[in-house]
Amino acid sequence: MDFLKGHSTYAQRWLNAQPKWEGWIGSLTPQKIDLAFIQNLLIPCEAAIANEEQDESQFMADLRLARQRLMLYLGFRDLNGLADLDEVTHSLSSFAELTVSLSIAYIRGDLQRRFGLPWSTSTNTEMPLMVVGMGKLGGRELNLSSDIDLIFLYEHEGETQGGPKSLSNHEWFTRMGKRLIKLLSEHDANGFVFRVDMRLRPNGDSGPLVCSLDMLEEYLLVQGREWERYAWIKGRLIAPMPDSPFFAVCEKELDQIIRPFVYRRHLDYGVIAAIRDLHAQIQREADKRSSGHQGRSRDIKLGRGGIREIEFLAQMFQLMRGGTDPRFRARPTLEILSLIEKRGILPAGEVRALKDAYVYLRRLEHRIQIWEDQQTHYLPDDESARARLAQSMGGPDVTEASAQFLAELEGHQNKVAQLFERAFVLKDSERLDLAPLSIDWEPDGQYFPESLARWQAWSGGPKERQLPEKSRLIFHSLIRKAAESVQAEQSMRASADITLLRFFDLLEAIARRSAYLSILSEYPKALSNVLALLKASQWGAQYLTRHPHLLDHLLNPRAEALLVEYPEDYWREVKTTLNMRLDDVMADGDGSEQAMDILRVTHHNETFITLLADLGIGVDQALPVEKVSDHLSALADLILQTTFERVWPSVAKKFDLPEDQHLAIDVPFAVISYGKLGGKELGYASDLDLVFLYQAPESDYAAQEIYGLLAKRMINWLTTYTSTGSLFEIDTRLRPNGSAGFLVTNADAFKKYQMREGDNAAWVWEHQALTRARFSAGNPTVGQFFDGVRFEVLSQNRNIDVLRNEILEMRRKVHAGHPNPAGEFDLKHDAGGMVDIEFIVQFLVLAYSHQHHQLIGNLGNIALLRMAAEAGLIEQSAAQEVADAYRLFRSRQHRLRLDGADKTRVNIDSELVLASARNAVLNLWQQIFKAPSDI
């Protein structure tokens, strides 16, 4: 108790005035402050609401005395190290919310008796006053002497009902608002409850005290400024309270207005410059106010390295990412910092430094304010006062010298300032130079002949003239910077012109989208990663140009390493994030169009991250093609599973299925993948070969209709071209009876077809396809059934000579369907190429799996060749040579595709390694089939 009195003249005064409170505090010492504790303090106020004979002065006194008791006990626990920061800020925020709601209830009774109540036409119920807590109250971060920033709203205009006289809704709520401010902020003998600041409302002090939702929406749409986006991040509905029947409707109506204003549907890098300007403006104001103090660094809130810089940094990432990741819409600063660390946006050590500084500065803020219950953030100039402050930071059992305290404070402020500077690129030398180009500047024609022609056509042309001045400056500066970088780097000179041309394509695509230009202008260091990508891959360059939101991944490549090192954890996190985003847009209705966009953006992001790892950007070593395909296949499986889960509820609703069948978890439906996805050899632009199975009695024709609609809607989600692009081309012709068969197949009928039970039977080529088929999505039980069918089919004892002839005939048909009149070798389709290897493996599986069950596993061609050799079916050396050939052909094909080649053909005469590999394949083919594959 002595420690509290020694570090708070405010506490001394109140304990002298109310001696019994000292004993009350002593009796509570171990008790943590929670909601029940606060409600107990406010019992006299609750009682006053129920009493029709109102005594407003007594109600105000009860509110104020409850506040003083809370402040004293909270100060006691805080100063003595018994309460952490969360307890202090949450207690004060909860008290504010309860006092606002109690005061509204108190005022409402009087206004109802005199004028009736506003009535909502949309819900046919009473219309409540909506109070939005902004700033620290919105974030549940109130300090010991906080103002509370409030905005008063109501649903719509109209007249009150049920009273002796009627008022307009606006007048009724204005009266309530004025009295609410009086109840909370007016000083009397017992002090005040909270200072109330209403300046964040539309039009500030010059605007009406309360406004309708329509007025708020129009204001934000027409006049809303960048700093208001920043302010509304913290906006939270505090009245009606969450346990009120009005809360859900009010929160939803408010959210529908605020979310699109604050959060963009893309990564918004334009906020960096806006917040940097706002910070500079606040710094200038802080400099004026601190002119009588020892420098601005003594202001622990607005000064250099202060609380506001930590909040700005957190909120920059919220504005930037909150539109695409709902987790960034949380309000507490520490929660956002933890999310920034979890997402790998900043290094863990830097985030810990920010969190430590935030907690330290907030604790210091409370000790400055508890001294006199004043809203101040300045360190005292007086040396004895600083010594006392140092002691209060150490606690009753620690003696902390003033110099030690100031050194610790300065350490935190310096670290925050350094990280803030880096995040907002405050040094002009680190940002893109936006000085106008000299009139005669152009790319060096020696290095960039085609780019020079492109620049001359662009410069002064209609596209350039249509750009805003700032965008034109950024465009020019980026072209100049890119040309200088490419020209200066020896490794890029051979491909200098094509790299700059591709950069031109990218800039033209984003020139009218300032948010994307901002990424490159704010983070010019990312330019080297952009240019590395453009140089390495034409396909990658085109992909980035089509989907410029992917630029984010080139700023600070980080996800690539996680993908490579911890793939299972990585995909689990991707799935969690994807589901969270889909829940966010589908919670209030269909939302299928937005959901389809989210699926596409997720697919673009993860494809691009794989591409970066493939090209060696962001990782120590480039991924081999097998790993690239593994990742792309895992991504496709994830998209298929998520599509199934999200489409099914609408199908269940369409057929009026019982509520307990609206979740996809028990739906007896499976997606079976064949071909590239089935063999986990998916490329960046591969089609998906899919077959849909369901389990139901064969006589259940309704099931055929239900699951047929499910498959159609899934295909629609996967193939429709939306504003964000498309996902996959889907081929379903491998289903029983091909295009003539049903889109979905009964699992039992599928088994009979594959086992050739009856007249309608599978062909050998369908059994070949089955060797590379697997369960990709849907119900695992149906997947297990498919695995059982696949095992039975592949392990059948076949006539090897008949099988050999049938596969040889099929191979020749495939060859005839891909003529190659050019003299070059087609890595995939020509004799001795990849298709030959695939057919060799399929023959070995179908011919010998009845004796060697290990061949049934869908393990890929290379592993199956090795296992066939171990079983003595082919020579070990031949298996190794052909496996090496397959790996070589796939890798070369992959690189050619990355560089934009449509046909993957090479001049084999000049490449002895490829020629040798082809010969190894031809030799093994001849040994097995005893005839060439291309006649």
Side-chain angles (χ1 to χ4, degrees), residues 416-437:
V416 170
Q418 175 192 343
L419 294 174
F420 183 84
E421 240 174 53
R422 189 185 308 161
F424 284 90
V425 203
L426 294 186
K427 294 179 181 175
D428 291 339
S429 61
E430 293 181 5
R431 293 207 301 275
L432 188 68
D433 179 10
L434 295 184
L437 294 180

Side-chain angles (χ1 to χ4, degrees), residues 153-155 202 211-224 232 252-261:
L153 304 168
Y154 59 97
E155 188 181 1
C211 67
S212 68
L213 292 179
D214 282 345
M215 177 187 167
L216 173 68
E217 184 171 26
E218 183 178 355
Y219 170 82
L220 294 178
L221 195 64
V222 176
Q223 300 181 53
W232 272 100
K252 181 179 177 182
E253 288 181 327
L254 182 63
D255 187 60
Q256 287 173 342
I257 295 170
I258 298 305
R259 187 191 296 183
F261 171 66

Side-chain angles (χ1 to χ4, degrees), residues 844-907:
L844 293 171
V845 170
L846 293 176
Y848 299 107
S849 287
H850 69 287
Q851 295 173 294
H852 305 284
H853 285 170
Q854 66 270 30
L855 294 174
I856 294 175
N858 188 349
L859 304 172
N861 292 310
I862 291 172
L864 289 169
L865 283 166
R866 174 179 52 77
M867 292 164 71
E870 290 170 354
L873 304 177
I874 56 176
E875 292 179 9
Q876 191 79 42
S877 58
Q880 186 63 54
E881 288 172 358
V882 172
D884 290 345
Y886 192 69
R887 190 178 287 112
L888 176 64
F889 293 163
R890 277 199 68 200
S891 179
R892 179 58 72 86
Q893 180 194 50
H894 184 65
R895 292 297 145 193
L896 287 169
R897 293 262 191 244
L898 278 179
D899 217 32
D902 184 34
K903 304 284 188 184
T904 52
R905 294 171 179 169
V906 295
N907 183 354

Side-chain angles (χ1 to χ4, degrees), residues 422-477:
R422 189 185 308 161
F424 284 90
V425 203
L426 294 186
K427 294 179 181 175
D428 291 339
S429 61
E430 293 181 5
R431 293 207 301 275
L432 188 68
D433 179 10
L434 295 184
L437 294 180
S438 60
I439 295 175
D440 59 348
W441 185 88
E442 58 186 18
D444 187 334
Q446 181 183 346
Y447 291 97
F448 309 107
E450 289 189 48
S451 299
L452 173 59
R454 180 82 170 269
W455 168 260
Q456 290 170 341
W458 162 270
S459 186
K463 288 183 179 179
E464 185 193 50
R465 289 197 303 272
Q466 288 170 8
L467 289 182
E469 179 63 24
K470 185 176 180 183
S471 296
R472 191 157 58 243
L473 279 174
I474 294 174
F475 190 108
H476 290 175
S477 301

Side-chain angles (χ1 to χ4, degrees), residues 101 120 152 226 232 459 475 509 526 606 751:
S101 286
S120 169
F152 298 151
E226 200 69 29
W232 272 100
S459 186
F475 190 108
E606 301 310 322
K751 180 177 181 179

Side-chain angles (χ1 to χ4, degrees), residues 20 24 57 90 94 145 183 357 509 561 568 650 694-697 715 751 760 769 773 776 786 811 824 832 870 914 934:
K20 291 181 182 178
W24 171 72
S57 61
H90 288 185
S94 295
S145 193
L183 290 182
E568 288 186 12
S650 68
Y694 69 93
Q695 285 183 323
I715 291 171
K751 180 177 181 179
N760 188 25
S776 268
F786 167 77
R811 174 64 185 102
E824 294 181 314
E870 290 170 354
L914 279 177
D934 56 352

Side-chain angles (χ1 to χ4, degrees), residues 693-696 745-752 782 785-786 789:
L693 299 183
Y694 69 93
Q695 285 183 323
T745 305
N746 183 290
D748 292 327
F750 178 81
K751 180 177 181 179
K752 290 176 184 175
V782 186
F785 177 87
F786 167 77
V789 172

Side-chain angles (χ1 to χ4, degrees), residues 405-683:
F405 154 66
L406 289 173
E408 188 173 2
L409 171 60
E410 190 170 349
H412 282 302
Q413 289 178 318
N414 285 340
K415 187 65 178 175
V416 170
Q418 175 192 343
L419 294 174
F420 183 84
E421 240 174 53
R422 189 185 308 161
F424 284 90
V425 203
L426 294 186
K427 294 179 181 175
D428 291 339
S429 61
E430 293 181 5
R431 293 207 301 275
L432 188 68
D433 179 10
L434 295 184
L437 294 180
S438 60
I439 295 175
D440 59 348
W441 185 88
E442 58 186 18
D444 187 334
Q446 181 183 346
Y447 291 97
F448 309 107
E450 289 189 48
S451 299
L452 173 59
R454 180 82 170 269
W455 168 260
Q456 290 170 341
W458 162 270
S459 186
K463 288 183 179 179
E464 185 193 50
R465 289 197 303 272
Q466 288 170 8
L467 289 182
E469 179 63 24
K470 185 176 180 183
S471 296
R472 191 157 58 243
L473 279 174
I474 294 174
F475 190 108
H476 290 175
S477 301
L478 285 169
I479 283 289
R480 178 183 60 195
K481 182 76 173 173
E484 290 170 356
S485 299
V486 171
Q487 195 169 332
E489 184 144 352
Q490 195 70 35
S491 64
M492 283 197 169
R493 288 191 177 180
S495 54
D497 200 21
I498 190 65
T499 302
L500 195 61
L501 280 172
R502 290 170 182 173
F503 189 61
F504 232 120
D505 290 338
L506 174 63
L507 284 186
E508 278 204 54
I510 66 173
R512 301 187 65 82
R513 305 168 79 173
S514 60
Y516 297 136
L517 279 179
S518 295
I519 296 178
L520 292 173
S521 66
E522 294 293 345
Y523 295 99
K525 288 183 180 177
L527 191 61
S528 60
N529 283 334
V530 173
L531 294 175
L533 168 71
L534 300 182
K535 169 181 176 272
S537 169
Q538 181 183 334
W539 185 88
Q542 292 169 343
Y543 198 74
L544 178 61
T545 301
R546 285 199 307 275
H547 310 297
H549 65 270
L550 299 171
L551 281 166
D552 176 57
H553 298 288
L554 288 163
L555 300 184
N556 179 23
R558 55 196 173 272
E560 298 74 43
L562 294 174
L563 171 64
V564 172
E565 294 169 22
Y566 309 104
E568 288 186 12
D569 293 343
Y570 181 86
W571 290 117
R572 194 178 304 114
E573 174 66 18
V574 170
K575 175 73 167 159
T576 299
T577 303
L578 175 57
N579 277 331
M580 181 183 56
R581 294 188 62 196
L582 291 171
D583 288 343
D584 184 50
V585 299
M586 300 185 79
D588 298 325
D590 180 26
S592 58
E593 188 174 333
Q594 284 178 280
M596 288 163 68
D597 283 343
I598 288 169
L599 280 174
R600 281 151 180 73
V601 169
T602 298
H603 185 260
H604 298 157
N605 287 342
E606 301 310 322
T607 299
F608 194 66
I609 288 168
T610 301
L611 173 67
L612 294 182
D614 185 3
L615 299 175
I617 297 172
V619 291
D620 295 332
Q621 190 172 1
L623 282 183
V625 64
E626 293 90 342
K627 289 290 184 184
V628 171
S629 290
D630 284 347
H631 294 317
L632 293 175
S633 301
L635 174 58
D637 287 351
L638 184 149
I639 296 291
L640 287 171
Q641 180 66 28
T642 305
T643 303
F644 162 64
E645 292 168 357
R646 298 294 169 163
V647 167
W648 170 252
S650 68
V651 174
K653 187 176 180 181
K654 165 85 172 174
F655 286 95
D656 293 322
L657 299 182
E659 283 291 329
D660 61 355
Q661 295 181 29
H662 281 217
L663 292 177
I665 188 167
D666 294 321
V667 178
F669 180 88
V671 182
I672 309 301
S673 57
Y674 283 71
K676 292 294 185 186
L677 178 57
K680 293 190 177 180
E681 294 184 349
L682 207 63

